[in-house]
Amino acid sequence: MKNLPLLLSALLLFLIISCNNSIKEPEKLEYALCIHGGAGTILKKNMSPEREKEYFDKLDEALTVGDSVLKNGGSALDAVELTIHVLENSPLFNAGKGSVFTHSGKNELDASIMWGKDLNAGAVAGVGNIKNPISAARKVMENSEHVMLSGKGASIFAQQEGLTIVDSSYFFTESRWNYLQQILNKEREMKRTDRHGTVGCVALDKEGNLAAGTSTGGMTNKRFGRIGDSPIIGAGTYANNKTCAVSCTGHGEYFIRLGIARDIASLMEYQNLSIDDATGIVLDKLNQINGLGGFIALDKYGNPAMKMNTSGMYRGYVNSEGVKEKYMYK
């Protein structure tokens, strides 16, 4: 009987090992990709059929580009960067070409990118002459010792890296300019739901690597060099091969305060929650402090989550099994 405790311990260890070995990993998709084009007051009653088609066509184009990269063995980083280029180059979204104007009538763009394989990341903030800020963020990640560069320094770095530099007039769109004038002339007031506008992409490649990227034109009528969550790793963007990749859109101050992107990954890592459960919990946290917005996330198996507490979010998903989905309204 002296050896009974040892026998029981051995038996318990055997049972634990057996149980662990019997737990099967969820089936992993070969690759997957998810995008968003901003969250806010997006209502079907306010959308003409022609305008709705423009948005759906652009979302489809972005998904097609990302799908092509991943299908042909490209990295999640390449897929994220090139997919976001499509959205940055469109005047439909508040990023790149379609960026909104600050109080002083300028464009100040932010972007970030993260590589889930090694947790490397890069970001730029407050830039006004880089055509594709997401590419500048990637250059910061890969070709500098820093994570974030801002303003003039970020532009000098981007130029040295051979990125396309444009005149500020490139970012001018009449609708964005007129909107600022309405605010300045007090013809309308800024609403909470006007504060959202970002594009983002998360991807899983055939090597099992995750990546996330986010790009934005910021907030209409912003002052004093305000920076939102989009270029802040852990707030607007996060990727970790152990868990998930996340890109956010919304009223950035709330996303910064909650560290939303990292929080989703942490819940999955430390509580072993699913992507759906983790994003649900974090959305509840956002609701509790009256923050508005949404986020897309992709777990290491390719399962997506696209959630918001606004009336809509431009979003879509594609994977290696031929699934392609696009949504606009809640």
Side-chain angles (χ1 to χ4, degrees):
M1 297 297 292
K2 280 191 200 176
N3 295 326
L4 184 58
L6 288 174
L7 290 171
L8 290 174
S9 296
L11 179 60
L12 180 60
L13 181 61
F14 173 78
L15 290 172
I16 290 172
I17 293 172
S18 297
C19 287
N20 287 339
N21 289 337
S22 66
I23 296 173
K24 292 183 179 179
E25 283 275 302
E27 188 173 341
K28 177 183 171 298
L29 290 165
E30 192 176 15
Y31 66 83
L33 179 139
C34 196
I35 61 173
H36 73 76
T41 306
I42 305 168
L43 301 170
K44 192 171 182 64
K45 67 179 182 180
N46 297 334
M47 190 79 65
S48 70
E50 295 77 19
R51 194 64 164 173
E52 183 181 78
K53 184 177 185 303
E54 283 186 72
Y55 277 106
F56 276 129
D57 285 350
K58 192 55 64 174
L59 291 174
D60 188 78
E61 180 186 344
L63 289 171
T64 299
V65 167
D67 180 67
S68 178
V69 172
L70 296 171
K71 183 184 294 182
N72 291 305
S75 72
L77 272 176
D78 289 341
V80 165
E81 181 183 10
L82 295 177
T83 299
I84 290 180
H85 276 189
V86 174
L87 304 174
E88 286 181 331
N89 293 343
S90 170
L92 292 173
F93 306 100
N94 178 19
K97 174 65 177 172
S99 294
V100 298
F101 290 88
T102 67
H103 181 77
S104 60
K106 297 179 179 179
N107 305 104
E108 295 178 358
L109 290 63
D110 313 320
S112 63
I113 196 166
M114 187 165 184
W115 188 215
K117 183 178 181 179
D118 58 7
L119 305 186
N120 202 3
V124 293
V127 299
N129 64 349
I130 302 173
K131 181 183 179 183
N132 293 110
I134 192 66
S135 292
R138 183 171 179 181
K139 290 293 187 182
V140 171
M141 178 181 74
E142 294 180 335
N143 296 343
S144 85
E145 60 182 326
H146 310 296
V147 170
M148 185 189 294
L149 300 180
S150 67
K152 185 178 179 180
S155 293
I156 292 172
F157 173 79
Q159 191 166 14
Q160 290 178 351
E161 290 296 316
L163 297 181
T164 302
I165 303 299
V166 295
D167 184 80
S168 59
S169 61
Y170 168 80
F171 301 106
F172 180 87
T173 53
E174 188 174 0
S175 61
R176 305 291 194 195
W177 179 255
N178 290 341
Y179 179 47
L180 173 67
Q181 301 315 304
Q182 290 172 9
I183 299 296
L184 295 178
N185 295 328
K186 299 184 178 178
E187 295 171 9
R188 62 171 292 174
E189 293 183 3
M190 281 283 290
K191 299 177 181 177
R192 292 184 70 218
T193 49
D194 290 335
R195 298 176 183 271
H196 315 138
T198 312
V199 304
C201 178
V202 291
L204 170 72
D205 62 31
K206 291 183 177 182
E207 299 297 319
N209 295 312
L210 288 164
T214 310
S215 182
T216 186
M219 184 185 293
T220 296
N221 198 35
K222 71 176 183 177
R223 302 177 69 179
F224 314 117
R226 176 263 185 188
I227 302 295
D229 65 304
S230 297
I232 298 177
I233 300 303
T237 303
Y238 196 76
N240 187 335
N241 279 6
K242 291 181 179 179
T243 52
C244 64
V246 184
S247 175
C248 303
T249 174
H251 193 161
E253 280 70 12
Y254 294 89
F255 284 71
I256 293 170
R257 286 159 56 188
L258 289 173
I260 281 199
R262 174 62 173 137
D263 196 22
I264 292 170
S266 294
L267 286 168
M268 295 181 68
E269 182 175 0
Y270 303 132
Q271 295 190 25
N272 200 30
L273 297 183
S274 68
I275 191 80
D276 189 60
D277 289 343
T279 51
I281 288 172
V282 171
L283 189 64
D284 285 341
K285 291 182 181 181
L286 187 63
N287 289 331
Q288 288 167 18
I289 62 170
N290 296 315
L292 289 176
F295 34 78
I296 56 171
L298 199 66
D299 72 13
K300 62 183 179 180
Y301 307 108
N303 299 310
M306 300 179 281
K307 295 186 179 178
M308 84 292 289
N309 60 9
T310 57
S311 61
M313 180 170 70
Y314 305 108
R315 60 201 188 278
Y317 171 73
V318 67
N319 68 26
S320 53
E321 295 185 345
V323 173
K324 182 187 276 188
E325 302 170 341
K326 294 162 289 181
Y327 305 99
M328 193 178 301
Y329 314 108
K330 194 160 186 177

